[in-house]
Amino acid sequence: MSSLLGAIDASASALNAQRARMEVAVSNLANAESTHGPDGQPYRRRDIVLSSSPIESFDSALGRADAVGVKVAAVLEDTHPFRRRYEPSHPDADKEGFVSMPNVDVPEEMVDMLGAARAYQANLTAISVIR
């Protein structure tokens, strides 16, 4: 029975990780045109780093294998250079008329969001099957 609870806990940890992936993708999409942040620079794309996380259970005290879940290890800023767009009338344009735009690729963010949504649904299905 406790191995089933470990499987549910592992899927639940994956639900949290996929929710975090979706939140970061939504934040990236929302700021895809933000040319001026609090630091005066354009928005930098963020990305999630996931890592494995052991699930503590009763079986671990008996020396049996634990379930392994997932957790968010870090949220990192993408260091790729900003895109430059010629828009001389923009308030953030430089002397040559170019505006530094965030390094967010909208189609890539949509693919990340779809992948996270599919993984979220798969883990919900796994929990339903186990229950």
Side-chain angles (χ1 to χ4, degrees):
M1 180 66 155
S2 59
S3 62
L4 291 178
L5 292 176
I8 289 174
D9 288 343
S11 287
S13 72
L15 290 175
N16 288 329
Q18 299 310 322
R19 180 191 46 77
R21 277 184 62 203
M22 284 194 279
E23 286 176 356
V24 167
V26 167
S27 175
N28 289 339
L29 286 171
N31 290 291
E33 296 289 320
S34 299
T35 60
H36 193 88
D39 60 354
Q41 295 291 313
Y43 176 82
R44 281 210 175 270
R45 179 183 183 273
R46 295 184 303 154
D47 203 7
I48 294 273
V49 177
L50 301 176
S51 68
S52 61
S53 174
I55 303 293
E56 296 295 326
S57 68
F58 180 72
D59 285 346
S60 61
L62 299 175
R64 296 184 189 141
D66 289 340
V68 177
V70 65
K71 68 177 180 177
V72 175
V75 179
L76 303 176
E77 284 188 349
D78 190 340
T79 58
H80 283 92
F82 295 121
R83 295 178 292 123
R84 289 176 42 92
R85 182 167 67 192
Y86 184 71
E87 199 172 324
S89 62
H90 194 284
D92 291 327
D94 61 13
K95 293 174 186 165
E96 291 90 32
F98 286 94
V99 179
S100 291
M101 299 299 293
N103 56 352
V104 175
D105 183 25
V106 173
E108 181 181 344
E109 297 304 322
M110 295 299 292
V111 169
D112 283 351
M113 209 164 36
L114 277 171
R118 296 284 176 137
Y120 191 92
Q121 184 62 44
N123 281 290
L124 279 178
T125 301
I127 290 171
S128 295
V129 168
I130 293 167
R131 291 178 80 201

